[in-house]
Amino acid sequence: MEKKIIAPSELIINPDGSVFHLHLRPEQLTDRIILVGDPGRVNMVADFFDTKDFEVSSREFHTIGGTYRGKPIMCLSHGIGPDNIDIVINELDALANVDFETREVRDTHRTLQMVRIGTSGALQPELKLGTPVIAEKAIGFDGVLNYYAGRNEVCDLDFEKDFTEHVGWNPLWASPYVVDADSELVNLIGGNDMVRGNTISAVGFYGPQGREVRLPLANPDLNRHIEEFEHRGRRVTNYEMESAPLQGLSRLMGHKAMTVCSIIANRMCHEATPNYKTAMRDLVGTVLDRI
């Protein structure tokens, strides 16, 4: 079979041999990756590392690589939103599975293990502030996965159908998709101290999550319908903005990925805390110990 060669226009490689946006070189890539949204949070995660071997910053993408308990690991910030996840996962996969010298796809597939640690807003009243919630299923409102072939093979189509019918999905929005986290990774990271949830990845922070500031909402009852929705005993637990494209693209590319978020607001109880850094630090330590 003829090898696939990636054209320069499709995968841009910088003059120093690094991938276009992340500015990482193939030899810097580790198999275990912690993903966070905030570039400043990378330093907090890396403070747990035994060694720090390199640091790279480009735009919102900040990476520190080193070791934790003797194992190579890196922490990378992806910024805010599903469009950034499309960049990050495609470029990490290229670093793993494309020869940057020849631009050929490698014969042997390299599998990455990625855990996103983030913050989230709860959609069920019983979820207390500070609770870690795993996105066992992620519901993408962003539409990113719909641009890739094989989308239906990695999605829960029954869940999608029931969800869109129940909430009265607006046809002007991108079609939602529902994708599972990697089960082995969930079992490795998850414990009795974490809730296994069903997480929405919204395409924005305000209107797309039902927040009304000055502009009225097109579907003001959406969150109420979401809260009431149930599919085979599963209810939607929380909102964030990146888990669905992360888990969906990873499944299509043959990687293992999951998201766990600390609840910093409860949308149903109208509660929120800006003082979440202690809970986040504890969650980071737990994930690093288990990955």
Side-chain angles (χ1 to χ4, degrees):
M1 181 181 295
E2 187 177 350
K3 287 190 174 182
K4 182 175 182 178
I5 299 177
I6 313 299
S9 59
E10 310 305 284
L11 176 66
I12 301 173
I13 299 173
N14 298 316
D16 64 354
S18 65
V19 73
F20 186 55
H21 295 92
L22 304 185
H23 278 255
L24 294 172
R25 300 189 306 275
E27 65 269 20
Q28 294 174 312
L29 183 69
T30 63
D31 290 338
R32 298 184 310 152
I33 303 169
I34 301 296
L35 297 170
V36 295
D38 183 357
R41 196 172 292 160
V42 173
N43 291 302
M44 184 267 281
V45 175
D47 284 344
F48 286 85
F49 293 177
D50 302 322
T51 64
K52 300 177 187 178
D53 301 330
F54 69 87
E55 182 171 5
V56 177
S57 289
S58 174
R59 308 185 192 189
E60 61 265 58
F61 309 114
H62 178 202
T63 307
I64 296 178
T67 59
Y68 182 75
R69 295 188 173 178
K71 297 179 180 179
I73 195 167
M74 58 193 283
C75 181
L76 164 66
S77 64
H78 51 67
I80 297 176
D83 50 339
N84 280 12
I85 295 297
D86 183 62
I87 291 171
V88 169
I89 303 306
N90 272 285
E91 294 196 0
L92 287 175
D93 178 74
L95 288 164
N97 292 301
V98 176
D99 186 323
F100 275 27
E101 295 293 330
T102 65
R103 293 185 165 274
E104 294 178 341
V105 175
R106 298 184 186 277
D107 293 328
T108 303
H109 181 271
R110 180 179 176 185
T111 301
L112 303 177
Q113 195 174 63
M114 295 173 279
V115 178
R116 188 181 100 75
I117 305 174
T119 56
S120 182
L123 286 167
Q124 297 298 333
E126 68 272 14
L127 284 175
K128 305 299 182 185
L129 301 182
T131 301
V133 177
I134 292 173
E136 194 166 38
K137 283 186 182 292
I139 307 155
F141 283 9
D142 52 272
V144 165
L145 207 66
N146 300 336
Y147 290 88
Y148 292 90
R151 169 249 197 251
N152 284 2
E153 281 68 44
V154 300
C155 289
D156 187 334
L157 302 182
D158 288 338
F159 193 119
E160 291 175 10
K161 180 176 181 294
D162 287 353
F163 181 83
T164 54
E165 289 178 354
H166 177 87
V167 304
W169 191 256
N170 190 327
L172 294 176
W173 300 339
S175 296
Y177 60 94
V178 179
V179 62
D180 291 348
D182 181 80
S183 59
E184 291 183 7
L185 200 52
V186 168
N187 289 333
L188 181 67
I189 302 297
N192 295 331
D193 53 346
M194 296 182 186
V195 172
R196 298 192 180 192
N198 307 287
T199 301
I200 290 173
S201 293
V203 71
F205 185 79
Y206 289 96
Q209 293 188 36
R211 289 183 171 93
E212 184 172 320
V213 183
R214 283 207 322 113
L215 292 178
L217 302 175
N219 292 63
D221 294 328
L222 179 62
N223 280 355
R224 178 175 59 82
H225 292 311
I226 291 172
E227 182 195 8
E228 296 168 350
F229 172 74
E230 186 173 311
H231 174 79
R232 298 177 183 175
R234 288 182 172 272
R235 297 184 301 164
V236 178
T237 49
N238 57 311
Y239 262 126
E240 50 82 81
M241 296 176 66
E242 293 91 12
S243 62
L246 166 64
Q247 294 172 190
L249 290 173
S250 295
R251 290 182 73 86
L252 287 176
M253 295 177 185
H255 301 298
K256 300 177 182 293
M258 63 165 282
T259 291
V260 58
C261 288
S262 180
I263 297 298
I264 66 168
N266 191 302
R267 301 296 302 285
M268 299 301 107
C269 300
H270 304 290
E271 297 175 343
T273 175
N275 302 314
Y276 55 85
K277 292 185 178 180
T278 299
M280 281 298 298
R281 175 173 283 276
D282 291 343
L283 182 56
V284 167
T286 298
V287 170
L288 287 173
D289 286 342
R290 295 176 183 175
I291 191 172

